[in-house]
Amino acid sequence: MKTGYTLAGMAAASLVALSIGTVPASAEIANHRVKLGVLTDMSGFASDSTGQGSVVAAELAAEDFAKELPGVTIEVIHADHQNKPDIGAATARRWLDQEHVDAILDVPFSSVALAVNEVTRNSKAVFIASGPGTTELTGPKCSPNTIQWTYDTWALANGTARAVTESGGKRWFFMTADYAFGHALERDASAVVKSMGGTIVGSVRHPPNASDFSSYLLQAQGSGAQVIGLANAVGDTIGSVKQATEFGITAGGQRLAALLMQLSDVAAVGLKDAQGLYLTEAFYWDLNPGTRAFADRFAARMDGRRPTGNQAGVYAGALHYLKAVKAANSTDATIVAAKMRDLPTDDPLFGKGSVRVDGRAVHDMLFFEVKKPEESKGPWDFYKLIKTIPGPEAFRPLSEGGCPLVQK
């Protein structure tokens, strides 16, 4: 699927035309075209939090910036990487070599993102990673062509573990998905808990995409922990929370802390079972007038669904990329990625921030408690804001990541 935004009315059904003036584009922008490729999970376990919603978010960014690049077509295409690194890498190579894609967006699932990171490293395309959580992208595997938006495992673990431990949750037990992402969440959260005088009383690892969490939850329940940290994602988190309610874990006084949970996951669980859950997010649709206005536009194209943090990250990352293209008068990755680091970030979804030399987009993070059903005012009204974590505190210090781009 392709979507284009340009001065002229496009005859092809796959292109959307906008009236954006008559000033000719800079000759630096080849063929008067900027091409954005959304590489995402269209049918798997992350499709609710990314998928078609990420495509819509990129289209909205293209529409919003079209008037700033008069005479230039901003085209959006997408593909399904099926959560497989080889498919993601092959698609990225085809896009760069044959379809002349200028920027690759989203890419949930860390192993796929790391593969795409290598494909784009020495290319003429920018990789804006709003979907994956691995800190490797801004650590040892950092690339001058890669910008990581939205969140990472350090920010999620630091936000939730710090806030919960500060509020008295000193004894932790972890239920961890047995792959690199889950291990990173547990590692980073454990470090925070221990640094604040807390203790880890135990942990257990479960296979990804598990269907039965009963044995793991029984271990957590019997551990004597005050807090059960869920170091997993999407379907595993949803299943963990639902079964924890069935086991009466929260009713018995233990607290659940989800180290990665998004709006779509809470919707899948339902407020009855998710109430009282603690989590950290980069974005919430009902935070302020700007986020609500975007959410209304998004919902109009997504059957009433509200955007997740990942989808908001696609919008914000694409918008900042397009600002850099305009400022640089070029789509060359070397020039544009450097300009993305030079320009301050500022958009209605994440507010003001910056992009560091390691490629980390720095913005505030938000610590929430999931509402009780009687507190919700309507569909998708799920969160109570407990704490805003300022950007400089929310992400791993630049000096600790091990990124080769950072001067010692």
Side-chain angles (χ1 to χ4, degrees):
M1 179 179 178
K2 301 180 180 180
T3 309
Y5 303 90
T6 183
L7 169 63
M10 293 294 188
S14 62
L15 297 179
V16 179
L18 298 177
S19 297
I20 57 174
T22 58
V23 181
S26 166
E28 296 286 340
I29 299 178
N31 301 316
H32 304 281
R33 181 180 298 274
V34 179
K35 197 167 187 178
L36 308 178
V38 182
L39 185 55
T40 190
D41 177 2
M42 295 298 295
S43 55
F45 59 83
S47 57
D48 281 347
S49 61
T50 58
Q52 184 58 35
S54 291
V55 179
V56 167
E59 291 172 349
L60 290 171
E63 291 176 14
D64 289 349
F65 204 76
K67 63 182 180 297
E68 301 293 335
L69 288 173
V72 174
T73 297
I74 306 173
E75 185 178 357
V76 177
I77 66 171
H78 71 265
D80 186 354
H81 61 46
Q82 301 176 44
N83 296 321
K84 298 178 180 179
D86 57 339
I87 292 176
T91 302
R93 289 192 189 95
R94 185 184 77 247
W95 277 359
L96 301 186
D97 296 343
Q98 301 175 24
E99 301 189 37
H100 308 293
V101 167
D102 298 301
I104 296 177
L105 311 175
D106 201 15
V107 196
F109 209 72
S110 293
S111 62
V112 183
L114 288 168
V116 172
N117 184 59
E118 295 310 312
V119 172
T120 57
R121 181 179 295 276
N122 296 309
S123 75
K124 292 185 177 180
V126 173
F127 174 28
I128 306 171
S130 56
T134 176
T135 54
E136 293 287 294
L137 291 172
T138 57
K141 302 294 185 182
C142 70
S143 162
N145 286 10
T146 295
I147 309 295
Q148 188 174 21
W149 218 276
T150 318
Y151 69 97
D152 57 37
T153 56
W154 196 98
L156 294 175
N158 183 71
T160 300
R162 185 170 300 279
V164 172
T165 306
E166 282 177 345
S167 68
K170 298 286 189 178
R171 293 170 56 82
W172 284 64
F173 183 98
F174 286 97
M175 279 181 50
T176 302
D178 194 10
Y179 62 106
F181 178 79
H183 300 171
L185 282 175
E186 180 184 339
R187 178 198 66 216
D188 293 339
S190 295
V192 172
V193 172
K194 292 175 183 177
S195 73
M196 300 180 68
T199 58
I200 311 303
V201 300
S203 66
V204 64
R205 292 181 174 177
H206 64 77
N209 302 317
S211 58
D212 183 6
F213 297 90
S214 58
S215 64
Y216 314 117
L217 287 166
L218 285 171
Q219 291 182 59
Q221 193 172 35
S223 69
Q226 295 169 296
V227 183
I228 300 172
L230 303 178
N232 47 24
V234 288
D236 290 330
T237 307
I238 292 167
S240 299
V241 174
K242 285 184 174 180
Q243 292 183 33
T245 301
E246 293 171 6
F247 276 70
I249 285 177
T250 52
Q254 289 176 301
R255 300 157 73 179
L256 291 180
L259 299 179
L260 173 57
M261 194 168 197
Q262 296 202 56
L263 195 74
S264 53
D265 302 325
V266 177
V269 173
L271 288 184
K272 180 178 180 294
D273 290 343
Q275 60 182 304
L277 189 70
Y278 294 102
L279 53 90
T280 298
E281 285 248 45
F283 165 86
Y284 180 47
W285 73 269
D286 198 21
L287 198 64
N288 57 53
T291 59
R292 286 190 285 271
F294 173 77
D296 287 343
R297 295 171 60 207
F298 180 93
R301 302 187 188 189
M302 289 293 295
D303 297 323
R305 295 180 66 89
R306 299 294 170 174
T308 65
N310 280 351
Q311 292 157 348
V314 171
Y315 174 89
L319 197 66
H320 189 63
Y321 170 80
L322 293 169
K323 290 178 182 178
V325 167
K326 179 184 178 183
N329 288 322
S330 175
T331 55
D332 185 274
T334 302
I335 300 170
V336 177
K339 186 61 68 174
M340 291 180 75
R341 288 167 167 84
D342 289 341
L343 294 174
T345 63
D346 189 3
D347 65 79
L349 307 191
F350 291 80
K352 297 181 184 296
S354 63
V355 178
R356 301 189 313 202
V357 64
D358 62 351
R360 176 68 260 168
V362 176
H363 49 73
D364 292 349
M365 295 291 287
L366 308 164
F367 180 65
F368 294 106
E369 182 182 356
V370 177
K371 290 182 174 181
K372 298 175 182 177
E374 60 268 25
E375 294 174 325
S376 177
K377 298 176 182 177
W380 303 98
D381 178 24
F382 295 159
Y383 294 164
K384 291 189 293 186
L385 179 63
I386 305 300
K387 180 181 179 181
T388 297
I389 307 165
E393 299 175 17
F395 293 95
R396 181 178 61 190
L398 186 63
S399 61
E400 296 179 8
C403 170
L405 301 175
V406 179
Q407 294 183 352
K408 302 299 183 182

